[in-house]
Amino acid sequence: MIDSILFNIMLVGVLGIASQWLAWRFRLPAIVVMSIVGLLVGPIFGLINPKDDFGEVFKPIISMAVAIILFEGSLNLDFREVRGLGKPVFRIVTFGALLAWILGSLGAHYVAGLSWAVAFVIGGLFIVTGPTVILPLLRQAKLKPRPAAILKWEGIVVDPFGALIAVFAFEIINFLISDDVTGLSLLLFFAASLFAVVFGWALGKFTGFIFENGHVPEFLKSPVVFALVLACFTISDHITHETGLLAVTAMGMTLANMHISSIDDMRHFKENISVLLISTIFVMLTASLTVDTLFQIFNWNIIAFVLLMLFIVRPVSIWLSTIGTDLSVREKILVGWIAPRGIVALTVSSYFASVLLEKGFEDAKILTSLTFALVFSTVCAHGFSIKWLAKKLDLAISEQPGVMIVGGSKYSTEFAKTLQDMKIPVLITDSSWQRLFSVRKAGIPFYRGEILSEQTEYYLDMTPYEYMIAATELDSYNALVCTTFVPEVGRNNLFQLSLRSKNDDDLEDMVHTIGGRILFQNHVTWEELNKRVERGDVFRKTNITEKYTFEEYLKERDENTLLLFAHKPTGRIEFFTEGSSPKIEQGDVIVSLTQPCKELNKIQEKLTVQRETKAKEDKKKADKPKESAD
């Protein structure tokens, strides 16, 4: 039995991460791939059934995983991010959620055929979207900041509220149908919800205090947060079911808005954990479904209810709740369409299916099928359409990967102009107006500020820029910038210029994990690059074709030519770095820094002589009338 459980844990983990990789490799919605993989290994081929294999620990594993995922998402809920968006976000998570609950409950009763009691319970649960599905879709679609912030805040804030509304509806039902339940039970439910918020806030404040005052060493900070999150969830959930989600959300939001110095390290740790948990949990849940549940999905009542939720309930609730806000029509269309349901809906619905059946509501049998139909339909519909719709509405950032250059200089300016000419998004950032003078004069997008400042992420949208080049005159600063942005950009996309010449061996033993990849071959330095630009070297673009191969190009190029990067037909950029070269193929464009060709110099010199001669002749002609007059 132990071997079987270990094998299943291993298999679920491998399948989850493999699904994430497949989604990344083929640019598919990760949630869709994970759901399909879970169905294949579970009810379709019967390889595993996590609910039976894991036994009693199945539900606790799912619950704690959801708590950690929700906490990691709430760590990103800094109020500074919604400056200017406070009104629409507030409306959507309050009035919009209430409308969605009422409309969804009416649909569940009249269309899905559920009793009023079951309809209002499940209607409350179906308002949730959640970070488990929204955050992967946002990463995939690369939306502009405004719609991305709205969808993220709604997904994380409404997630615990949806579960609480479902619990509240269930408590009301208990109060109405059971003689044992009194008004005191409802008061205790509200008191427990308030306690969860206060408890989460207090734990968040306590965590921030001990971290800022040095009571926890750096190597223990992430484990301490991990343990406190589990304690926060478990204690609150033990008092009243589903209030644990509210507690961890309050804890995460408290920490996010304390702006403590080590919040980024915790965020990166939790983000890595969340990716692993989302991958495995989705596979576990879909693999635990039965064949009967899948067949029940094709019931016309369920299909009609799903269509109602997709095309009427969600759009209407968003449009009505955002009346009088500054959201544009395009933003309303996008937000009104995107509402995928995820892990919380699946886990909590299974809980209510069992307790409602115990209370004698036979129609609760279809809750699992109904929930999975909505989850899978919304995940597929929204996962495959969000990118397309965002492009059509002009709410997506360009697919062409951009380049962010840290450090203004003459070389940075000319390099950025070349990227602009190739329709590659580019931005130069520097803390000095003086160093940005040539950048501003050339009309290149720029940001004046310290890239390492915590405030920068709230004023500078880095989403369009897949590559970062640290190109200042300070080698240590370049290395620090690259090391800092490894979690966001990835080490393969971080580059820095070298300040030391080929003969300097002082830093050769530097640990390779520090800083970014050294740009360009022949160990060219920052100083040399700027000198070459000042003396008139030009950036040249060369098309590699079937007739003119890269090998021929290398034979013909000047010995002073410096290869910079290759622009692929797909839009990708591959830089020439110290010790490595990209694979050059037909259709690539090679960008290099080289001296103007000699023939061009001769032509320019000849034209200069002709202009000077013509000017002298024109002057003589102009002087002749004066001499005649004399």
Side-chain angles (χ1 to χ4, degrees):
M1 185 65 178
I2 294 177
D3 291 339
S4 177
I5 293 177
L6 288 175
F7 177 80
N8 286 326
I9 291 174
M10 177 276 297
L11 183 61
V12 167
V14 169
L15 290 173
I17 297 303
S19 301
Q20 289 274 11
W21 182 86
L22 283 172
W24 165 81
R25 180 67 180 81
F26 297 103
R27 297 188 178 185
L28 298 170
I31 302 298
V32 175
V33 178
M34 290 184 285
S35 300
I36 293 173
V37 168
L39 291 175
L40 290 174
V41 299
I44 295 178
F45 292 114
L47 299 179
I48 58 172
N49 188 338
K51 185 178 288 187
D52 294 338
D53 296 334
F54 296 159
E56 294 182 357
V57 299
F58 177 78
K59 287 185 178 179
I61 289 174
I62 300 289
S63 298
M64 286 192 287
V66 171
I68 293 168
I69 293 166
L70 199 56
F71 172 76
E72 188 274 326
S74 61
L75 271 181
N76 296 306
L77 297 184
D78 193 312
F79 290 120
R80 293 177 295 185
E81 189 183 80
V82 287
R83 287 173 181 167
L85 288 175
K87 189 176 181 180
V89 168
F90 179 77
R91 289 274 198 88
I92 289 172
V93 301
T94 53
F95 184 51
L98 181 63
L99 275 175
W101 178 26
I102 294 172
L103 294 175
S105 300
L106 291 173
H109 175 71
Y110 288 110
V111 178
L114 298 176
S115 62
W116 281 113
V118 178
F120 269 94
V121 171
I122 207 67
L125 181 60
F126 283 165
I127 71 170
V128 304
T129 52
T132 59
V133 283
I134 282 295
L135 296 183
L137 287 187
L138 294 181
R139 280 194 292 266
Q140 168 211 347
K142 293 187 177 180
L143 300 183
K144 289 183 177 178
R146 279 175 59 91
I150 291 171
L151 287 170
K152 182 175 76 173
W153 272 76
E154 182 204 7
I156 296 170
V157 172
V158 173
D159 217 32
F161 287 163
L164 281 178
I165 287 176
V167 175
F168 171 69
F170 178 71
E171 292 293 338
I172 293 291
I173 292 168
N174 260 347
F175 175 71
L176 294 175
I177 67 172
S178 176
D179 296 332
D180 299 332
V181 180
T182 63
L184 181 62
S185 301
L186 293 179
L187 291 176
L188 288 176
F189 168 73
F190 287 114
S193 300
L194 180 62
F195 168 79
V197 174
V198 174
F199 184 53
W201 171 83
L203 266 182
K205 285 289 186 183
F206 171 73
T207 305
F209 173 79
I210 61 176
F211 282 9
E212 284 295 273
N213 289 276
H215 297 304
V216 178
E218 286 295 325
F219 76 96
L220 275 181
K221 284 184 177 179
S222 291
V224 166
V225 171
F226 190 82
L228 288 175
V229 169
L230 293 182
C232 181
F233 170 77
T234 305
I235 293 172
S236 299
D237 212 58
H238 184 72
I239 294 173
T240 299
H241 199 66
E242 302 306 334
T243 58
L245 298 178
L246 189 63
V248 295
T249 302
M251 181 180 175
M253 290 181 66
T254 302
L255 276 170
N257 289 280
M258 287 180 70
H259 307 137
I260 60 177
S261 56
S262 54
I263 188 71
D264 284 337
D265 294 333
M266 289 188 291
R267 188 182 290 125
H268 296 321
F269 170 75
K270 290 291 182 294
E271 185 177 357
N272 293 334
I273 292 293
S274 292
V275 170
L276 177 62
L277 291 176
I278 290 172
S279 307
T280 55
I281 297 307
F282 240 95
V283 172
M284 285 176 63
L285 287 173
T286 51
S288 299
L289 297 172
T290 63
V291 176
D292 293 337
T293 300
L294 295 182
F295 280 119
Q296 202 171 34
I297 289 173
F298 298 100
N299 184 307
W300 77 266
N301 299 84
I302 293 179
I303 295 173
F305 174 75
V306 169
L307 294 175
L308 179 77
M309 294 294 288
L310 279 171
F311 296 104
I312 297 178
V313 173
R314 172 66 178 184
V316 168
S317 62
I318 293 298
W319 278 77
L320 291 179
S321 64
T322 54
I323 292 175
T325 66
D326 62 346
L327 287 189
S328 66
V329 173
R330 292 179 300 168
E331 288 172 331
K332 289 181 180 180
I333 292 173
L334 181 66
V335 175
W337 169 245
I338 302 301
R341 277 63 169 187
I343 290 175
V344 171
L346 279 174
T347 54
V348 180
S349 69
S350 63
Y351 163 75
F352 281 116
S354 59
V355 295
L356 286 169
L357 282 170
E358 290 175 4
K359 293 292 181 179
F361 295 98
E362 292 297 321
D363 52 333
K365 289 179 180 178
I366 71 167
L367 285 189
T368 302
S369 300
L370 185 70
T371 305
F372 181 73
L374 184 63
V375 169
F376 192 73
S377 299
T378 54
V379 162
C380 289
H382 300 151
F384 283 110
S385 65
I386 183 170
K387 203 169 186 178
W388 173 85
L389 183 61
K391 284 183 185 177
K392 289 292 183 182
L393 297 174
D394 194 26
L395 294 175
I397 295 167
S398 171
E399 277 195 12
Q400 169 66 60
V403 179
M404 178 180 289
I405 303 172
V406 182
S409 65
K410 290 184 177 180
Y411 169 77
S412 297
T413 303
E414 295 302 318
F415 185 64
K417 285 169 65 176
T418 303
L419 293 172
Q420 271 192 327
D421 293 341
M422 301 177 71
K423 309 299 182 185
I424 298 172
V426 63
L427 177 126
I428 297 179
T429 174
D430 203 304
S431 58
S432 168
W433 280 115
Q434 185 178 358
R435 287 192 292 269
L436 288 171
F437 176 76
S438 62
V439 179
R440 291 181 284 135
K441 189 177 179 181
I444 296 167
F446 69 92
Y447 171 77
R448 191 253 176 178
E450 175 52 62
I451 191 67
L452 295 176
S453 171
E454 184 184 347
Q455 304 295 324
T456 300
E457 64 177 300
Y458 301 106
Y459 300 104
L460 176 62
D461 179 24
M462 297 181 62
T463 310
Y465 309 106
E466 191 167 323
Y467 309 96
M468 177 181 281
I469 298 174
T472 73
E473 65 273 26
L474 298 174
D475 204 22
S476 56
Y477 182 79
N478 292 341
L480 179 60
V481 168
C482 291
T483 303
T484 302
F485 282 92
V486 165
E488 286 88 357
V489 182
R491 191 171 298 281
N492 288 335
N493 293 342
L494 280 167
F495 305 91
Q496 69 181 85
L497 296 183
S498 176
L499 294 187
R500 60 190 193 276
S501 67
K502 193 172 183 179
N503 296 324
D504 290 339
D505 298 325
D506 296 341
L507 299 177
E508 288 299 322
D509 294 330
M510 179 183 285
V511 179
H512 294 295
T513 56
I514 296 176
R517 300 163 65 190
I518 303 298
L519 274 179
F520 315 138
Q521 298 171 344
N522 302 326
H523 221 106
V524 64
T525 65
W526 176 89
E527 184 179 9
E528 183 181 345
L529 286 168
N530 281 280
K531 281 183 178 179
R532 292 183 65 164
V533 170
E534 289 174 2
R535 78 185 183 193
D537 281 20
V538 296
F539 290 83
R540 182 164 292 138
K541 299 182 281 288
T542 306
N543 293 301
I544 302 300
T545 64
E546 185 179 356
K547 294 182 178 179
Y548 188 64
T549 64
F550 183 54
E551 289 72 19
E552 292 175 341
Y553 168 75
L554 292 177
K555 292 177 183 177
E556 294 180 4
R557 69 168 179 154
D558 186 89
E559 59 181 6
N560 293 318
T561 298
L562 176 65
L563 301 180
L564 303 179
F565 66 87
H567 190 219
K568 299 287 185 178
T570 58
R572 298 279 310 167
I573 300 173
E574 294 187 10
F575 289 92
F576 289 86
T577 60
E578 188 179 293
S580 67
S581 300
K583 184 180 179 181
I584 308 300
E585 300 170 330
Q586 180 181 335
D588 293 351
V589 178
I590 304 295
V591 177
S592 60
L593 181 63
T594 183
Q595 294 179 346
C597 63
K598 296 177 181 179
E599 290 77 8
L600 182 59
N601 284 338
K602 290 178 181 179
I603 293 172
Q604 289 175 341
E605 290 174 4
K606 187 176 180 179
L607 289 173
T608 302
V609 171
Q610 289 176 351
R611 282 196 298 267
E612 291 175 352
T613 303
K614 190 175 185 302
K616 289 177 182 179
E617 291 176 353
D618 291 342
K619 188 177 180 183
K620 287 180 180 180
K621 290 179 181 179
D623 291 340
K624 280 182 180 181
K626 293 181 181 179
E627 293 174 359
S628 300
D630 293 340

